[in-house]
Structure formats: C-alpha cells, structure tokens
C-alpha cells in the first residue's frame, strides 16, 4: 500500500491528474463533445463535476506541496 500512496503523491502524477482531468472536464462541458461521447443531461453534468473535483484535488495537493517547500 505504501508504494501506491507514494505514486499518487508524486509530483508528475499530480500534474498528470490535474491537467488531464481539467481538460476532460472542460471538453465534456461543451455540447458537441458530449454528444459525440453519448452523454446528455445529468450524465454530462456529473462527468464534468467529477473530473473537475479530481482536478481541483490534484491542484490543491500541488499548491499545498509548493507552499510547504517555500
């Protein structure tokens, strides 16, 4: 379990989670992309919010880590 926790808290992993999930959340928020993925209504909103929350969590971890180093 320790290795999984170490991997998830690694700086490159946090950057990937932040940028990838932010990009997906923004893309799903646009109607043409959501239609091509087969999402509509509540599914689109839940996907956008869920990916956005993961992105915010990774961003907060990066910011917290940066503030601790300074």
């Amino acid at each position: 379990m320790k290795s999984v926790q170490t991997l998830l808290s690694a700086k490159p992993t946090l950057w990937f989670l932040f940028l990838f999930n932010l990009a997906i959340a923004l893309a799903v928020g646009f109607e043409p992309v959501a239609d091509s993925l087969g999402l509509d209504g509540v599914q689109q909103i839940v996907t956008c919010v869920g990916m956005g929350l993961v992105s915010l969590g990774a961003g907060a971890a990066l910011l917290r880590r940066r503030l601790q180093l300074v």
Side-chain angles (χ1 to χ4, degrees):
M1 242 2 194
K2 181 85 170 155
S3 62
V4 173
Q5 189 175 22
T6 304
L7 176 65
L8 287 176
S9 64
K11 196 172 183 180
T13 304
L14 290 173
W15 273 109
F16 173 77
L17 288 171
F18 174 67
L19 294 173
F20 179 78
N21 286 296
L22 181 63
I24 297 299
L26 290 174
V28 169
F30 293 111
E31 191 66 32
V33 175
D35 282 342
S36 67
L37 293 173
L39 301 175
D40 72 2
V42 175
Q43 286 180 334
Q44 181 182 0
I45 294 168
V46 169
T47 302
C48 189
V49 169
M51 295 297 233
L53 287 175
V54 172
S55 179
L56 285 174
L62 284 168
L63 184 61
R64 194 167 116 204
R65 176 181 231 176
R66 182 179 181 127
L67 291 175
Q68 286 178 350
L69 293 176
V70 173

